[in-house]
Amino acid sequence: MNTLKFITAGNVDDGKSTLIGRLLYDSDSIHTDQLGVLQQQTKQEGVTIDLSLITDGLRAEREQGITIDVAYKYFSTKKRKFIIADAPGHEQYTRNMITGASNSDLIILLVDARKGITIQTKRHASIGSLMGIKKAVVAINKIDLVDYSETIFNDIKNAFDSIKTNLNYDEIAYIPVSALVGDNIVEKSNNTPWFEGDTLLSTLEHIEISTKENLASRFQVQWVIRPKNEENHDYRGYAGQVLSGSYQVGDSVTILPSGIASTITKIEKHQQELEKAIAGENIVLHLAHNIDISRGDSIVKTDELPKSSNTLKTWVSWLDNSSLQIGKTYLLQHRFKAVRVKIESIDQKWDINNWEFSGSDEIRLNDIGQVSLRTNQPLFFDAFEENSKNGNAILIDETTFNTVGALMFL
């Protein structure tokens, strides 16, 4: 049973939290004791049960009536497991949405049937596309407030169709829903006899997501295991996660940055030996040769080498209140590998709302642009579009140690 990771995004008050609450509630994915707590909290507000409370976990957020943090929820059906990221709708929290979208396979774009496609819809759709998401669901919510109008549904569908050519989604589903009432969330609604598509849950259960097993094999060492006791005197293992592709005993591999070749002699997971490990598994690799390998080094198949350079062009999503500074040295953290990097130039800035590029000498909080970087030592990476797991990094300010930027290599 594979896991679908998806993010919900939409304008403030479009009903994202209620939609997720309805999805969990109608699919029987809420524990009885949690329901009791929700009912007690809801009574204070004079409603039978407020489904938005399921994801709006922070009291301060509920008092403001908004979602600020990215809230994660986990549930499963007989057909699939799910991880939901509920992203904030405000423009000033674009960075939070990027965090949630970076690990998502699908995006649910919530559109208020009364308002139609808005600038924020375009912003969220373009960010999802930029982050490499290929599957989208346009959930046209509050369809009950427009008398379940097929005309309004088609108008919104056509409006999104007219802009999707600027995006990189390869599959988009349109569904009329009412998160508050439950129309077309888990069960087909009798109020929309004109809609012939699947419910939201059925769409999520059956949509096909490409696996990372067919990508080039990538493994970065998180920890070198050397017990140095009598029982494991000669034990030398390299622990980490298979980021993409697969590894099996007997594979010829190359260690980077040293470039030394070796062969995998053993693979362990939970202290059990495996013949093969696939993307997403946390494992320990053993090699035929005793090589000086450190945290952050990569072990890749010899015939699947990544790019290597100390000059990079990359998208950057700026996360800090202080603007990006050309010529300043930052720390670039590529998973477990840290290098010093200098911003050489801002090549262009992206107007997310209009999908236009423009020249700029400044990138500020929530801006997205393309920049050129130079590292103090070669970096081994893939283009984000080809392999997102090995094609992203973060920028850290050396003086404050704040995470200031999210990078997606070109």
Side-chain angles (χ1 to χ4, degrees):
M1 183 188 296
N2 63 346
T3 300
L4 176 71
K5 294 171 286 188
F6 67 91
I7 183 171
T8 58
N11 289 21
V12 177
D13 297 328
D14 274 0
K16 298 185 305 298
S17 297
T18 302
L19 178 78
I20 295 172
R22 173 63 65 183
L23 191 61
L24 297 173
Y25 184 77
D26 285 3
S27 62
D28 298 323
S29 300
I30 305 174
H31 296 299
T32 304
D33 55 348
Q34 187 182 7
L35 276 176
V37 173
L38 291 171
Q39 287 169 347
Q40 288 179 354
Q41 292 177 342
T42 303
K43 283 178 182 177
Q44 300 170 8
E45 301 173 16
V47 184
T48 304
I49 182 168
D50 185 350
L51 297 172
S52 68
L53 298 181
I54 296 170
T55 52
D56 282 346
L58 299 178
R59 184 68 188 177
E61 294 177 10
R62 294 207 300 270
E63 288 171 353
Q64 297 177 62
I66 60 173
T67 303
I68 295 176
D69 248 343
V70 180
Y72 291 92
K73 277 293 180 182
Y74 306 82
F75 77 105
S76 63
T77 66
K78 293 180 180 179
K79 297 180 180 177
R80 197 172 230 170
K81 294 179 180 178
F82 301 93
I83 301 175
I84 314 170
D86 180 23
H90 290 73
E91 180 177 344
Q92 64 264 40
Y93 298 117
T94 297
R95 61 193 183 278
N96 301 65
M97 185 194 165
I98 288 173
T99 300
S102 63
N103 289 307
S104 296
D105 305 307
L106 177 145
I107 184 170
I108 297 178
L109 295 162
L110 212 61
V111 177
D112 190 323
R114 301 166 300 174
K115 301 175 184 176
I117 304 299
T118 65
I119 288 178
Q120 274 296 78
T121 306
K122 294 179 179 180
R123 171 180 287 271
H124 292 151
S126 56
I127 289 173
S129 176
L130 172 65
M131 298 307 294
I133 298 176
K134 296 299 183 183
K135 311 291 181 180
V137 173
V138 179
I140 300 170
N141 192 28
K142 304 185 182 181
I143 196 72
D144 55 314
L145 299 183
V146 294
D147 297 324
Y148 299 97
S149 170
E150 181 181 8
T151 300
I152 290 177
F153 171 80
N154 286 331
D155 287 346
I156 294 173
K157 179 179 181 297
N158 293 335
F160 195 87
D161 278 341
S162 68
I163 64 173
K164 71 179 184 182
T165 53
N166 297 291
L167 306 168
N168 294 319
Y169 300 113
D170 58 24
E171 186 174 354
I172 302 174
Y174 299 89
I175 306 174
V177 302
S178 171
L180 189 64
V181 179
D183 294 298
N184 295 322
I185 303 294
V186 173
E187 302 291 339
K188 287 278 285 186
S189 173
N190 294 327
N191 296 313
T192 54
W194 42 266
F195 176 64
E196 298 178 351
D198 290 331
T199 64
L200 177 61
L201 181 60
S202 180
T203 300
L204 297 176
E205 285 180 327
H206 294 98
I207 201 160
E208 293 186 6
I209 302 298
S210 60
T211 175
K212 292 181 173 60
E213 288 181 51
N214 56 3
L215 300 175
S217 299
R218 298 290 180 256
F219 178 94
Q220 200 180 81
V221 176
Q222 181 177 359
W223 196 256
V224 179
I225 303 176
R226 292 294 309 277
K228 295 183 179 179
N229 55 30
E230 288 300 321
E231 185 180 353
N232 300 285
H233 188 325
D234 297 321
Y235 190 100
R236 185 193 296 262
Y238 307 100
Q241 184 184 70
V242 181
L243 304 178
S244 61
S246 62
Y247 291 85
Q248 61 186 40
V249 175
D251 280 344
S252 297
V253 294
T254 298
I255 317 305
L256 300 173
S258 67
I260 298 174
S262 189
T263 304
I264 296 175
T265 57
K266 184 167 66 173
I267 302 174
E268 291 180 302
K269 180 181 179 181
H270 305 314
Q271 298 183 325
Q272 302 294 319
E273 291 193 28
L274 304 175
E275 274 299 311
K276 181 179 180 181
I278 62 174
E281 291 189 295
N282 295 296
I283 60 169
V284 179
L285 292 178
H286 295 257
L287 304 180
H289 303 87
N290 290 330
I291 304 169
D292 184 12
I293 298 176
S294 304
R295 176 182 169 90
D297 288 357
S298 293
I299 301 176
V300 301
K301 290 183 180 177
T302 302
D303 58 353
E304 296 178 351
L305 297 179
K307 295 177 175 61
S308 172
S309 179
N310 63 350
T311 58
L312 303 91
K313 287 187 177 293
T314 176
W315 286 108
V316 59
S317 172
W318 200 249
L319 312 176
D320 197 49
N321 290 316
S322 299
S323 299
L324 176 150
Q325 296 181 39
I326 297 175
K328 179 175 178 176
T329 301
Y330 296 90
L331 289 175
L332 186 154
Q333 188 76 42
H334 184 227
R335 301 193 72 83
F336 306 112
K337 182 73 171 180
V339 298
R340 300 183 76 204
V341 61
K342 184 172 289 187
I343 311 290
E344 293 199 318
S345 65
I346 298 172
D347 301 326
Q348 54 189 349
K349 189 160 73 172
W350 189 25
D351 181 344
I352 303 176
N353 302 326
N354 300 307
W355 290 295
E356 293 178 351
F357 293 100
S358 61
S360 177
D361 57 1
E362 187 177 38
I363 291 181
R364 297 177 294 178
L365 178 66
N366 290 318
D367 283 345
I368 295 176
Q370 286 183 10
V371 297
S372 295
L373 312 174
R374 179 177 292 277
T375 62
N376 67 339
Q377 55 185 284
L379 197 68
F380 300 92
F381 65 97
D382 295 288
F384 182 85
E385 192 174 75
E386 296 171 3
N387 190 334
S388 61
K389 286 292 186 180
N390 196 48
N392 67 79
I394 59 172
L395 276 184
I396 299 171
D397 189 294
E398 280 192 307
T399 55
T400 65
F401 291 101
N402 290 335
T403 299
V404 296
L407 303 179
M408 292 144 280
F409 302 135
L410 294 167

